[in-house]
Amino acid sequence: MSFAQSCSLASSSKGNSIFLRSGDTRILIDAGISCARIESSLTGLGERPEDLNAILVTHEHSDHVSGLLVFARRYNLPVYLSEGSYRALLEKKRAYEQLSFHIVEASRSYALGNLSFRPFRLSHDAAEPFGYRIDTGHGSLSVLTDCGEVSSELFDLIKGSKRIYLESNYDPEMLHGGRYSWALKKRIEGKRGHLSNFDAAALLIALVESGTERIQLSHLSEENNRPELAYTCSASSAKLHGICLERDLKLTVSPAHRPSLLEDIC
């Protein structure tokens, strides 16, 4: 077994969770699927839920926390999140008071077993959304989803990460021609919405140039995207810029409703 590996347990507009293990440390980033699904997914990977050390939460939207209360309570797990996300959760349901929360701040580093992680602010319509850069000691992993725009400051925080879960949420043509209301379409493509396939494809180039070796396109909309569209958009952009897939970059797409392959961080 590699010293540091990760996989997506689920990734879509309906539910998101990422598993990461490094040595004896095991964490989830988000718990946006049911407790039962998290348990069965971990068991399928040969892992035990009771061996987890913590959950990092990106923000309070249901597709990132729907299983949090039951799962974290059942396994007595500490939950790390922003103060804004914490307050938003308590406003949704007072039962969250039963969990062991740890408030973290953007751009500060925190130790967690064999890992250290640094939260960073995202531009999204949530209370105080965070992405995370996690240093395993054998390469860094970053999670960048639910973000409407990537500033130069944000890029500086994730560049050099060996593996990135990168949002590729929607295909603009599908979004514009779809059944969503005009207001919702504007929200999705706005600065506090989501990254499109084209946004991800453009960002991919700069990330590879900074040293990223693995990119997993994530958080695809089931209404306004297709895995093959997201992959082709980023793959075509890579080839146009002289990036050889498999040699320079391993590019994959997170499955919506099942775990992806458990792979090395780098």
Side-chain angles (χ1 to χ4, degrees), residues 110-185:
Y110 298 87
L112 183 58
N114 295 320
L115 308 170
S116 63
F117 68 92
R118 175 174 291 190
F120 50 85
R121 298 185 188 280
L122 297 177
S123 178
H124 189 58
D125 59 353
E128 190 181 3
F130 279 170
Y132 291 97
R133 178 168 181 152
I134 303 167
D135 185 2
T136 69
H138 291 257
S140 294
L141 172 149
S142 287
V143 178
L144 176 59
T145 60
D146 292 81
C147 183
E149 64 174 352
V150 178
S151 65
S152 58
E153 292 80 11
L154 174 53
F155 179 81
D156 286 342
L157 291 172
I158 64 172
K159 70 179 182 181
S161 300
K162 292 301 182 181
R163 183 181 183 92
I164 295 183
Y165 290 89
L166 176 63
E167 179 168 63
S168 190
N169 181 258
Y170 66 95
D171 171 74
E173 186 173 341
M174 286 188 68
L175 176 66
H176 295 157
R179 62 182 179 85
Y180 282 3
S181 67
W182 179 87
L184 181 53
K185 291 176 183 179

Side-chain angles (χ1 to χ4, degrees), residues 13-113:
S13 299
K14 295 181 179 177
N16 299 273
S17 186
I18 293 170
F19 170 71
L20 167 63
R21 67 185 181 191
S22 178
D24 295 331
T25 304
R26 284 148 171 75
I27 66 170
L28 294 182
I29 301 100
D30 286 332
I33 54 178
S34 71
C35 178
R37 282 185 63 193
I38 296 173
E39 290 172 334
S40 64
S41 295
L42 291 174
T43 300
L45 297 172
E47 295 287 337
R48 302 191 311 166
E50 54 266 34
D51 290 336
L52 285 170
N53 299 95
I55 302 174
L56 310 185
V57 169
T58 60
H59 64 293
E60 75 278 6
H61 289 168
S62 62
D63 58 321
H64 295 263
V65 299
S66 62
L68 177 66
L69 179 59
V70 175
F71 187 79
R73 184 170 53 192
R74 178 172 296 178
Y75 296 100
N76 195 28
L77 289 167
V79 178
Y80 294 80
L81 75 178
S82 70
E83 182 172 1
S85 294
Y86 167 70
R87 294 184 181 281
L89 283 177
L90 290 186
E91 288 178 4
K92 287 175 126 181
K93 188 177 293 187
R94 300 306 299 183
Y96 278 110
E97 292 177 338
Q98 302 170 29
L99 302 186
S100 174
F101 285 111
H102 297 259
I103 306 302
V104 293
E105 299 176 7
S107 300
R108 288 189 57 186
S109 292
Y110 298 87
L112 183 58

